[in-house]
Amino acid sequence: MAERVRFPTRLRPHAKTHKCSQVAALQIEAGAIGVTTATVWEAAALARAGIGDILIANEIVGPAKIARAVEAGSAARLTVAVDAIDNAKDLSAALADADSEAGVLVDVDIGMGRCGVRSAAEALEVANAVSQLPNLRFDGVMGFEGHCSLEPRRDKRTRLTRAALAKLLETAEHIRANGIPVETISAGGTGTFDLTGTDPNVTELQAGSYAFMDTAHAAVVSGFDFALTVLATVISRHGSTVVLDVGKKTLGLETPAPIIPTTPSSIRYVAEEHTVVDLEGVQSMKVGQQIEVVPSYCPVTVNLHDAYLVVDDDVVVDVWPLVARGAGWSSGDAIR
Ligand SMILES: Cc1ncc(COP(=O)(O)O)c(C=O)c1O
């Protein structure tokens, strides 16, 4: 992916896909400028593990999360997303107390209707406020075209993405026209990488899922291999129906269904602890046999596991912990 983005865009892969410092380090070695995270927990854990440049592409609200962001900022170059002036003030105060600083991207809603300011005028107000607040550095704008990235029809995906990016770029221009430099324009996912990642105005691409791929993203983009599978055991067979010991608690589940690349088959359903598979044709799959299942949506799958078994040529060569999995508690937090 680092090679497929086109200058001046650089890759800042979303680490929610893997939550693992070893994968993040490989991405940086391959040319990424740092990583993106969704949570302060991911940012703090990856910063502690030595990842040096982190964007939290999400609003950080409340003293506990802000404290975590400040912790991440003490170990890495930190940038955060903001869509409200009060939130910027809270971040500024906490960073000042810690004698630390963070970059800020004003988060712009470019069509998803999730977080983000709703207009260029509002973005300018937030950018102005951020520029004047101590310990914050206004760097630019970000948006996420999540409503476009899994659109299966290429022409519609292109049209929607161009419209979403136009909104982000117009916002950046409005801020610039009012005398505030905008250095960073950050956006993009795997499904839009070749549109957003080749736009001459976009400086950072936040795509994440490409690293492992899954059935949701393979339905939209090609050219990236499946790298993450869940190892399942056949626990029951009746005719052409096979039952696997993986389910929603190990595979996770989104759409489309998971697949078993090595075996002609279709997945009838995924339950809590079982997956029921219909084999196609005559096959000698026995109870006890192990097979690899490609999940629907890796970011949800990985969060159900503690570690990766790293396989090279069918041999487990390493075990990499998911340092940032789960809801975000750690020994430093009081759990009541
Ligand atoms: C803000 C943001 N940026 C980037 C991404 C990465 O998208 P993908 O997993 O399709 O690569 C996401 C995914 O949800 C996101 O929420």
Side-chain angles (χ1 to χ4, degrees):
M1 183 62 90
E3 284 167 10
R4 290 182 201 191
V5 296
R6 194 184 301 150
F7 184 81
T9 315
R10 304 289 304 276
L11 179 62
R12 181 183 280 285
H14 211 310
K16 76 190 172 84
T17 306
H18 52 72
K19 294 170 174 277
C20 174
S21 62
Q22 283 87 346
V23 179
L26 284 176
Q27 291 175 314
I28 290 166
E29 198 184 304
I33 53 171
V35 297
T36 303
T37 73
T39 69
V40 288
W41 169 234
E42 289 164 353
L46 292 175
R48 252 201 313 268
I51 301 305
D53 190 328
I54 298 172
L55 162 66
I56 306 175
N58 208 353
E59 280 57 19
I60 305 160
V61 172
K65 285 188 179 176
I66 289 178
R68 261 301 152 77
V70 171
E71 180 195 324
S74 67
R77 182 181 189 276
L78 181 71
T79 309
V80 300
V82 164
D83 72 359
I85 293 173
D86 281 347
N87 184 223
K89 287 181 181 163
D90 290 345
L91 286 162
S92 164
L95 287 159
D97 280 350
D99 199 18
S100 185
E101 73 153 25
V104 172
L105 301 184
V106 173
D107 189 5
V108 183
D109 173 31
I110 55 174
M112 245 188 129
R114 197 170 69 177
C115 297
V117 296
R118 271 21 187 191
S119 68
E122 217 187 314
L124 177 61
E125 278 175 34
V126 180
N128 251 323
V130 167
S131 305
Q132 284 158 36
L133 282 165
N135 303 71
L136 295 183
R137 181 186 70 243
F138 174 76
D139 284 346
V141 294
M142 67 150 272
F144 177 53
E145 65 278 27
H147 59 299
C148 317
S149 55
L150 291 178
E151 165 56 49
R153 278 173 300 165
R154 171 75 191 178
D155 54 343
K156 188 169 176 199
R157 190 159 79 248
T158 304
R159 189 163 38 79
L160 288 173
T161 301
R162 296 240 155 90
L165 285 181
K167 188 158 187 212
L168 189 61
L169 300 178
E170 276 159 31
T171 304
E173 275 318 303
H174 185 62
I175 295 170
R176 282 183 182 132
N178 282 275
I180 304 176
V182 174
E183 277 173 18
T184 302
I185 300 182
S186 187
T190 298
T192 57
F193 86 89
D194 56 345
L195 301 163
T196 308
T198 56
D199 186 300
N201 300 294
V202 172
T203 65
E204 294 185 353
L205 180 76
Q206 297 178 7
S209 293
Y210 76 90
F212 290 161
M213 288 305 282
D214 46 39
T215 62
H217 290 86
V220 180
V221 292
S222 54
F224 298 96
D225 292 341
F226 294 126
L228 182 93
T229 60
V230 176
L231 188 62
T233 300
V234 177
I235 57 167
S236 181
R237 177 165 184 176
H238 300 280
S240 61
T241 302
V242 157
V243 183
L244 307 178
D245 66 345
V246 293
K248 289 179 186 167
K249 286 181 170 169
T250 34
L251 271 176
L253 190 61
E254 296 274 334
T255 48
I259 55 167
I260 303 168
T262 52
T263 309
S265 59
S266 60
I267 289 188
R268 200 188 308 164
Y269 65 86
V270 179
E272 188 179 337
E273 296 285 10
H274 301 89
T275 293
V276 177
V277 182
D278 292 309
L279 299 177
E280 287 163 16
V282 181
Q283 291 188 43
S284 64
M285 191 175 287
K286 293 198 172 69
V287 170
Q289 189 172 329
Q290 292 192 308
I291 49 174
E292 290 179 72
V293 184
V294 172
S296 306
Y297 184 62
C298 285
V300 173
T301 308
V302 303
N303 203 42
L304 302 167
H305 297 265
D306 295 317
Y308 298 100
L309 299 181
V310 184
V311 176
D312 193 10
D313 261 345
D314 283 341
V315 176
V316 175
V317 293
D318 214 343
V319 178
W320 292 345
L322 275 122
V323 283
R325 71 159 291 201
W329 298 109
S330 78
S331 53
D333 293 314
I335 302 177
R336 290 172 217 281

